């Protein structure tokens, strides 16, 4: 009798232990599935650019994992935003350069070593007038008035087409950086061997430390970031004037406007 009871007790104990192990296995399997679902939810959030957040997480390594994933997402979001801004800046630069390269002025950079640059004796007044007619519509849109000093026309050594492009660039810069309703002055001074044409605006000006750099290729000033441009116009203008044995300078101060001076030789030289 005792032996039978012992066998029954042993079987009952084994059954109980088996039930415990089975329950433990089921519970572990449940926890494992729940863990997988939480990780799967975090991965879905990452793939859909949503915040990886599981509201019922308890303390533990899954909670720590979710916290690290969240920090990683924040960092990736910052990097993506920065990359998007840089992408837009590059697109804008390419767009500006594409626009610039459609103009005759910009072709100088492409052909500066081989271009047949013919310089002769030509009316400077006619060249300036040609440039003014090109920017007339832009001036009207900003209600900016061009005031040209009355002067007797002289023949200066230059290429009318390319030099007109130089003045177009100077006029467009004056319009771009000047406030609506302001004015742009065109001044002329004749000397024995050369003449000076000045373009004076009421724009944002140029810091002294940058006044030599603005003639470098692709250079853009610190206060020009809010305005469109590719930084090749003044470089090419300088290149053209130097090919005519002249030179160009600038005198400006921040907030006080800019004055560009173009020096060209007289025809008798």
């Amino acid at each position: 009798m005792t032996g039978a009871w012992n066998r029954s007790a042993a079987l009952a104990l084994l059954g109980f232990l088996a039930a415990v192990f089975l329950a433990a296995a089921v519970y572990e399997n449940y926890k494992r599935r729940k863990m997988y679902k939480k990780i799967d939810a975090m991965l879905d959030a990452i793939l859909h650019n949503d915040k990886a957040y599981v509201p019922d997480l308890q303390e533990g390594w899954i909670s720590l994992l979710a916290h690290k994933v969240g920090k990683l997402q924040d960092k990736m979001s910052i990097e993506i935003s920065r990359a998007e801004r840089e992408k837009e800046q590059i697109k804008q630069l390419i767009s500006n350069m594409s626009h610039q390269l459609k103009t005759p002025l910009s072709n100088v950079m492409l052909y500066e070593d081989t271009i047949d640059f013919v310089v002769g004796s030509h009316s400077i007044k006619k060249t300036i007038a040609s440039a003014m007619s090109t920017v007339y519509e832009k001036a009207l849109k900003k209600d900016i008035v061009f005031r040209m000093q009355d002067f007797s026309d002289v023949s200066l050594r230059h290429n009318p087409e390319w030099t007109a492009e130089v003045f177009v660039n100077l006029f467009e810069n004056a319009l771009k950086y000047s406030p609506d309703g302001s004015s742009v002055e065109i001044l002329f001074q004749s000397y024995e061997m050369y003449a000076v044409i000045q373009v004076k605006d009421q724009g944002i000006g140029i810091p002294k430390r940058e006044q030599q750099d603005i003639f470098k290729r692709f250079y853009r000033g610190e206060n020009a970031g809010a305005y469109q441009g590719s930084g090749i116009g003044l470089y090419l203008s300088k290149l053209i004037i130097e090919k005519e044995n002249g030179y160009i300078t600038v005198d400006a101060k921040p907030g006080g406007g800019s004055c560009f001076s173009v020096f060209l030789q007289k025809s008798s030289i």
Side-chain angles (χ1 to χ4, degrees), residues 13 23 44-45 61 105 125-126 145 165 210 219 226-227 233 259:
L13 180 60
D44 280 341
W61 71 270
L105 176 63
K125 221 170 191 180
K126 186 176 179 180
V145 178
E165 288 294 332
E210 295 183 355
Y219 183 85
Y227 303 85
C259 180

Side-chain angles (χ1 to χ4, degrees), residues 28-261:
E28 286 299 322
N29 188 50
Y30 166 76
K31 288 200 303 180
R32 189 177 296 109
R33 288 200 307 271
K34 188 176 181 180
M35 178 186 68
Y36 288 157
K37 287 181 179 179
K38 291 176 180 178
I39 295 174
D40 186 60
M42 285 190 288
L43 293 175
D44 280 341
I46 294 171
L47 291 174
H48 291 88
N49 294 321
D50 296 327
K51 188 69 175 177
Y53 173 71
V54 181
D56 62 340
L57 285 179
Q58 302 297 320
E59 292 297 326
W61 71 270
I62 300 180
S63 177
L64 180 61
L65 175 62
H67 177 68
K68 288 184 176 181
V69 167
K71 291 180 66 175
L72 179 60
Q73 278 189 302
D74 292 339
K75 185 176 181 180
M76 288 176 63
S77 178
I78 294 172
E79 293 297 328
I80 290 172
S81 298
R82 182 182 298 133
E84 288 295 329
R85 288 195 302 270
E86 291 176 353
K87 180 181 177 181
E88 287 301 317
Q89 291 171 354
I90 292 171
K91 284 173 61 178
Q92 187 63 53
L93 176 61
I94 292 173
S95 175
N96 291 339
M97 289 182 65
S98 176
H99 171 72
Q100 290 279 354
L101 290 172
K102 292 177 182 177
T103 67
L105 176 63
S106 302
N107 291 334
V108 179
M109 187 169 68
L110 300 177
Y111 304 111
E112 62 179 279
D113 295 327
T114 59
I115 192 170
D116 183 13
F117 199 93
V118 179
V119 176
S121 177
H122 301 280
S123 161
I124 190 60
K125 221 170 191 180
K126 186 176 179 180
T127 300
I128 295 173
S130 174
M132 290 181 65
S133 67
T134 302
V135 301
Y136 177 74
E137 293 294 333
K138 292 183 179 180
L140 282 180
K141 289 179 180 179
K142 293 195 68 174
D143 192 27
I144 293 178
V145 178
F146 278 89
R147 306 186 188 281
M148 187 161 113
Q149 175 188 346
D150 186 25
F151 64 91
S152 298
D153 194 12
V154 295
S155 293
L156 300 179
R157 290 187 57 77
H158 67 286
N159 181 294
E161 180 182 359
W162 294 119
T163 307
E165 288 294 332
V166 169
F167 285 112
V168 166
N169 182 66
L170 295 180
F171 294 159
E172 286 187 338
N173 281 348
L175 294 173
K176 183 195 309 184
Y177 297 116
S178 296
D180 294 4
S182 60
S183 63
V184 176
E185 291 185 84
I186 303 171
L187 308 175
F188 181 85
Q189 187 66 50
S190 180
Y191 298 94
E192 182 179 355
M193 301 176 65
Y194 63 93
V196 184
I197 305 95
Q198 293 181 314
V199 179
K200 188 176 183 180
D201 64 46
Q202 299 174 336
I204 61 176
I206 306 166
K208 189 73 175 178
R209 65 182 180 277
E210 295 183 355
Q211 291 181 15
Q212 293 303 313
D213 293 331
I214 62 172
F215 294 104
K216 294 178 180 178
R217 190 183 305 192
F218 301 124
Y219 183 85
R220 301 207 69 209
E222 292 179 2
N223 60 354
Y227 303 85
Q228 290 188 353
S230 58
I232 62 174
L234 289 176
Y235 162 76
L236 295 171
S237 296
K238 181 173 180 287
L239 178 66
I240 290 171
I241 297 303
E242 287 179 347
K243 283 182 176 289
E244 298 170 339
N245 291 322
Y247 60 98
I248 181 172
T249 63
V250 63
D251 182 25
K253 61 181 179 180
S258 302
C259 180
F260 285 87
S261 300

Side-chain angles (χ1 to χ4, degrees), residues 9-22:
L11 289 173
L13 180 60
L14 288 174
F16 174 75
L17 292 176
V20 169
F21 287 132
L22 179 60

